[in-house]
Amino acid sequence: MKKVITVELDQQSETIELHLNKEGAEYLKNILNRLIFNNQNDHLHLMTPDWGENELTTDQQNLSATVKLLHQLKIIYWK
């Protein structure tokens, strides 16, 4: 199965939704572990193919009219 990771904004409830399948959760876990074990302040950007990368997928999961697919997730790690 292909990896699913989407970040979606529900504008009505002002909620960020992170949608994952097992492959997406494992991928995100590995990214977070790299930040943790790097042992320094760091950040990274996860983006959709529309924005030039492929860490996030573009198949929106919540099809509600108030929900918008986001194309970038910036993760900032503070040790």
Side-chain angles (χ1 to χ4, degrees):
M1 179 177 275
K2 73 176 192 169
K3 165 187 73 171
V4 173
I5 302 177
T6 64
V7 181
E8 302 174 23
L9 170 64
D10 186 329
Q11 298 169 341
Q12 183 175 16
S13 66
E14 297 182 357
T15 303
I16 299 289
E17 299 179 353
L18 180 61
H19 296 264
L20 308 161
N21 65 0
K22 182 177 180 179
E23 290 78 7
E26 290 288 339
Y27 183 82
L28 185 57
K29 180 179 83 169
N30 291 336
I31 287 173
L32 294 174
N33 278 333
R34 283 197 321 247
L35 287 173
I36 292 166
F37 293 115
N38 191 15
N39 201 29
Q40 61 185 1
N41 296 337
D42 201 357
H43 76 281
L44 53 87
H45 301 262
L46 306 180
M47 292 181 256
T48 63
D50 294 350
W51 280 35
E53 297 296 334
N54 67 353
E55 299 90 2
L56 302 177
T57 51
T58 55
D59 296 328
Q60 187 167 334
Q61 303 299 302
N62 184 338
L63 301 178
S64 170
T66 64
V67 176
K68 176 184 175 188
L69 180 73
L70 300 177
H71 292 279
Q72 180 175 200
L73 172 64
K74 182 177 180 180
I75 300 175
I76 304 166
Y77 175 76
W78 299 99
K79 68 173 193 161

